Amino acid sequence: MTTWTRPAIDAADITRYLGVNVFELPKLPGLIALHTEARDADTGQERFVRSTQRIIRLLLETALSHLEHRPRAVTTPTGRVFDGLAPAEPTLYAVSVPRAGDALESGLREIRPDARLGKILIQRDTTTKQPTLLFRKLPSDIAGNEVLLLDPTIATGGTLLTAVNELIAAGVEENRIVVVNVLTCPEAIATVLSRRPDLRIVTSHIDDTLTDEAFMSPGIGDFGDRFHGTLRRG
């Protein structure tokens, strides 16, 4: 049985990716306050959902700005011309990694209800930390298009790489994938981008490190369980 081995990296190793492949939301007080609320072990489901949905809204708007745009001039109510921009493609494609990714999917639906959505279900073994693909359903015409890949937490990077491999197998080019992520860590960034150097990752926070048990530190807990209210009690 192949087990996961914690990569030995220095957090400084990821600095070359920042602003090139990895785009972290500015650490403004409001965003840090939302993270504080979400990460608190005493925060229940309702407050967790409320705080993470606000983070997700900020994150999605930023991720959408990383997609290709083209010039668009419009006439304002004053009769003057505003030289603006519009999405280069009218159709938005996004793929979520359930269950945690469903939180990002619902947030995207509020912003872009016209988005064409796919799902890639991947299970990570609790002992080996290795990912297994269980299910894939993608829009039939996704090949060649820009795609938002919705994955709230990236710890070891194995699940994300599996999802990326499936998109590439479906005809999506690596440099046209924008990963939308709530929380990741230096080890995951180094692992993912050493294998897929043309990916772009938009994240709301990069944690300090990854523990020997493959949990992010300081972490947020199991995002899917906390968001959907399926934590074990007692």
Side-chain angles (χ1 to χ4, degrees), residues 61-78:
E61 293 288 5
T62 301
L64 287 168
S65 74
H66 282 270
L67 298 179
E68 185 180 355
H69 285 70
R70 57 176 173 76
R72 183 191 175 202
V74 296
T75 302
T76 74
T78 67

Side-chain angles (χ1 to χ4, degrees), residues 16-44:
R16 65 182 182 275
Y17 298 123
L18 300 179
V20 180
N21 300 85
V22 179
F23 305 90
E24 186 179 19
L25 296 186
K27 289 185 169 65
L28 298 175
L31 178 62
I32 299 302
L34 292 173
H35 266 275
T36 303
E37 176 86 346
R39 292 170 186 259
D40 190 341
D42 292 329
T43 293

